Amino acid sequence: MIKRKIFEDYIEGNIDKAFRFAYSYSGNKSDAEDVVSESVVKALSKISSLRDTEKINCWFMSIIANTAKQNLRRQKKFVFESEDSAEKIAAKEESSFFEFEDLIKNLDVKYRELLIMKYFEGFTFKEISEISSLSENTVKTRLYRAIELLKPKLEGELK
């Protein structure tokens, strides 16, 4: 019962963060909302598996990541907003997330998800490792590679 209350308090304070994280996978609002809802239900049903309540953030974000990946496999494709839709969204709500998303939208998902976790959500390498079920060295290598892939885009924008 204590873990459930801790989780409920966590969700109240972090629902926007959970939505952004789910959105980074799905690329649209409706799917992200579905992923978060489904993830909350899964988390509540598996709350007893949470060993350390101090790691609730990593635990829940890994549930979101896995749920989002399952949904993507069901859809058999990775859906990202078209450029026109992204421009409409950005016009409605100027947000660094959408600018970041636009910059990374053409990267392979294995790089995109790590960039979002590290530079937008602020997770440590260790936390990313736990969420993604990758070794810390693999996380670091993929992040380095992602940055190398982004350099030409960033240099192009600066000119």
Side-chain angles (χ1 to χ4, degrees):
M1 204 58 149
I2 293 171
K3 288 182 183 179
R4 184 181 177 99
K5 176 66 175 142
I6 290 170
F7 179 71
E8 289 170 359
D9 292 344
Y10 167 80
I11 285 297
E12 280 184 33
N14 293 283
I15 196 70
D16 291 337
K17 182 178 183 178
F19 174 79
R20 280 193 317 268
F21 190 58
Y23 185 91
S24 72
Y25 282 92
S26 66
N28 74 53
K29 183 179 176 183
S30 177
D31 287 347
E33 289 170 346
D34 290 344
V35 166
V36 171
S37 296
E38 191 176 335
S39 297
V40 168
V41 171
K42 284 180 181 179
L44 286 171
S45 71
K46 297 180 184 216
I47 195 72
S48 62
S49 71
L50 176 62
R51 289 184 223 142
D52 183 357
T53 56
E54 296 206 6
K55 293 186 176 185
I56 195 165
N57 190 47
C58 287
W59 177 77
F60 186 59
M61 291 300 163
S62 67
I63 291 172
I64 291 175
N66 291 331
T67 302
K69 288 175 186 177
Q70 286 173 344
N71 286 353
L72 291 172
R73 280 191 294 272
R74 278 186 228 138
Q75 294 173 358
K76 304 251 187 202
K77 62 181 178 177
F78 195 85
V79 179
F80 248 94
E81 296 290 328
S82 69
E83 286 186 33
D84 293 343
S85 296
E87 287 173 11
K88 289 176 189 172
I89 292 169
K92 286 182 196 172
E93 180 181 332
E94 297 219 353
S95 166
S96 61
F97 178 76
F98 293 109
E99 292 170 14
F100 185 68
E101 178 192 41
D102 189 49
L103 183 65
I104 66 171
K105 70 182 175 186
N106 293 321
L107 288 178
D108 188 302
V109 69
K110 71 182 182 183
Y111 299 125
R112 190 171 40 233
E113 69 183 353
L114 297 180
L115 284 167
I116 290 168
M117 284 189 256
K118 179 67 177 165
Y119 298 109
F120 193 77
E121 298 297 338
F123 289 117
T124 65
F125 290 117
K126 184 175 182 172
E127 291 170 331
I128 295 169
S129 173
E130 291 172 9
I131 293 168
S132 63
S133 301
L134 299 169
S135 72
E136 279 188 65
N137 286 335
T138 301
V139 168
K140 290 175 185 177
T141 300
R142 285 188 183 174
L143 279 168
Y144 175 77
R145 177 71 180 134
I147 291 167
E148 289 299 308
L149 290 169
L150 287 176
K151 276 185 183 178
K153 286 183 181 183
L154 292 170
E155 290 170 355
E157 287 184 11
L158 295 175
K159 290 182 181 179

